[in-house]
Amino acid sequence: MTAPSALLLHFDDEQAMAQRLAQASGITCAAIARHRFPDGELKLRLPATVPTHVVLLRSLDHPNEKLVELLLATRTARALGATHLTLVAPYMAYMRQDIAFNPGEVVSQQVVGRFLADLFDAVVTVDPHLHRIERLEQAIPVAQAVVLSGAPLLAELLARELDRPVLIGPDAESAQWIAQAACAHGFDHGVCHKDRHGDREVTIHLPDLDVRGRAVVVLDDVASSGRTLAGATRLLLAAGAASVDVAVTHALFAGDALDVIHNAGVRQVWSTDCIAHTSNAVSVAPALTRALCTILSSSQ
């Protein structure tokens, strides 16, 4: 697969993914040098010359400092001559805060989305949280906004690893995603109802689905605190499930999240490599490459 002349920029912690994307798409990649001053400020250094199209790879887990990196890097790339900037962010941060529930609350999806739209001409991401909107460009108003999904990749993995598993989504927001994953292989599937009482307190209600003696996989787009997955797992095992595994696109697993879900009885944890983690089992690099090559070709 070949692409027009472009440069893929990355940071050292994402070198492996950058090299896979660059090799598959036929473009050059280069690392952005990064130095932290004693007071916490950052100094970045890009290559001295850049082509007109620059791609920046940055998965936005632990996003706050990374957003500053994007600001510094993109403004410098423009000053060096780049006229088209593409962000490849396998994980897109701040998409879950999509409405103000109380007066004065910041709707981070809108604020961060417009911030990114001011920096980039195109965005590629995987399974962003788009609960109350239909299209990514409603949150990030760029000329090209490409959304990929980890659901088919995880479904392929489950078809190889398990015999006719039951797929369970942890909440109503996962319904469409669960149906997509289940469709290709004819998996039985259902969606839980979730009442959230705080960041770490949730009440789960199982769907009306017989899981007795069955291998069950709780499938979700993101795992953060692990409390929702743990709650669903305990209920499924109590309902007679033979085993419960977890498959997620974005393996955030903050703090003690992995311990929490394993202590609840989860057997295996699988994730995509949108966020580097020991549970990574499938790669989104081929799908990212196809999307990137399309954007590179259309920008000429």
Side-chain angles (χ1 to χ4, degrees):
M1 186 179 293
T2 59
S5 176
L7 176 66
L8 190 154
L9 296 177
H10 64 91
F11 291 84
D12 285 344
D13 58 322
E14 292 182 308
Q15 181 175 346
M17 173 70 83
Q19 289 178 337
R20 289 196 294 272
L21 291 178
Q23 183 176 11
S25 58
I27 65 177
T28 301
C29 69
I32 297 174
R34 185 177 183 272
H35 173 76
R36 184 189 300 279
F37 292 105
D39 62 2
E41 291 186 5
L42 298 173
K43 180 175 73 172
L44 306 182
R45 188 176 73 252
L46 279 62
T49 59
V50 300
T52 56
H53 196 144
V54 169
V55 179
L56 184 52
L57 171 67
R58 202 59 171 144
S59 205
L60 293 176
D61 53 305
H62 302 93
N64 296 345
E65 186 167 276
K66 291 180 178 180
L67 292 173
V68 175
E69 292 173 348
L70 296 185
L71 174 63
L72 298 175
T74 55
R75 295 302 191 211
T76 303
R78 298 277 190 194
L80 291 171
T83 58
H84 191 287
L85 291 173
T86 296
L87 172 64
V88 177
Y91 175 69
M92 182 61 68
Y94 284 114
M95 292 293 103
R96 285 180 285 183
Q97 296 162 299
D98 58 1
I99 191 172
F101 291 97
N102 298 289
E105 283 185 346
V106 175
V107 182
S108 303
Q109 184 188 85
Q110 296 178 7
V111 175
V112 174
R114 289 166 185 161
F115 170 79
L116 294 175
D118 286 341
L119 302 180
F120 293 96
D121 304 287
V123 172
V124 181
T125 191
V126 182
D127 287 329
H129 188 93
L130 304 179
H131 178 39
R132 293 180 177 86
I133 59 176
E134 296 180 354
R135 296 173 292 107
L136 180 62
E137 52 264 47
Q138 292 173 263
I140 309 175
V142 291
Q144 293 174 289
V146 180
V147 172
L148 308 173
S149 179
L153 301 175
L154 292 169
E156 290 292 332
L157 171 71
L158 300 179
R160 295 193 303 269
E161 296 287 337
L162 301 170
D163 181 23
R164 296 178 56 249
V166 178
L167 306 189
I168 297 292
D171 53 37
E173 296 173 18
S174 65
Q176 184 176 0
W177 198 73
I178 287 290
Q180 180 185 2
C183 179
H185 300 280
F187 295 146
D188 293 334
H189 61 284
V191 175
C192 297
H193 172 72
K194 178 172 70 174
D195 295 318
R196 181 173 289 281
H197 311 293
D199 288 342
R200 293 176 177 267
E201 296 181 20
V202 293
T203 301
I204 305 292
H205 307 279
L206 293 181
D208 185 15
L209 191 64
D210 187 1
V211 298
R212 288 174 294 179
R214 301 288 299 276
V216 178
V217 180
V218 182
L219 208 66
D220 206 359
D221 61 336
V222 61
S224 182
S225 73
R227 269 59 182 180
T228 297
L229 296 174
T233 297
R234 285 190 288 265
L235 290 175
L236 288 164
L237 291 173
S243 63
V244 178
D245 300 311
V246 164
V248 296
T249 297
H250 303 299
L252 289 175
F253 292 119
D256 62 350
L258 273 181
D259 290 337
V260 167
I261 65 173
H262 282 305
N263 290 339
V266 167
R267 185 181 59 173
Q268 297 270 6
V269 178
W270 295 296
S271 67
T272 75
D273 60 353
C274 287
I275 298 171
H277 191 265
T278 56
S279 64
N280 292 166
V282 294
S283 179
V284 297
L288 291 174
T289 299
R290 290 190 292 270
L292 179 57
C293 286
T294 299
I295 288 173
L296 292 172
S297 296
S298 64
S299 67
Q300 298 304 298

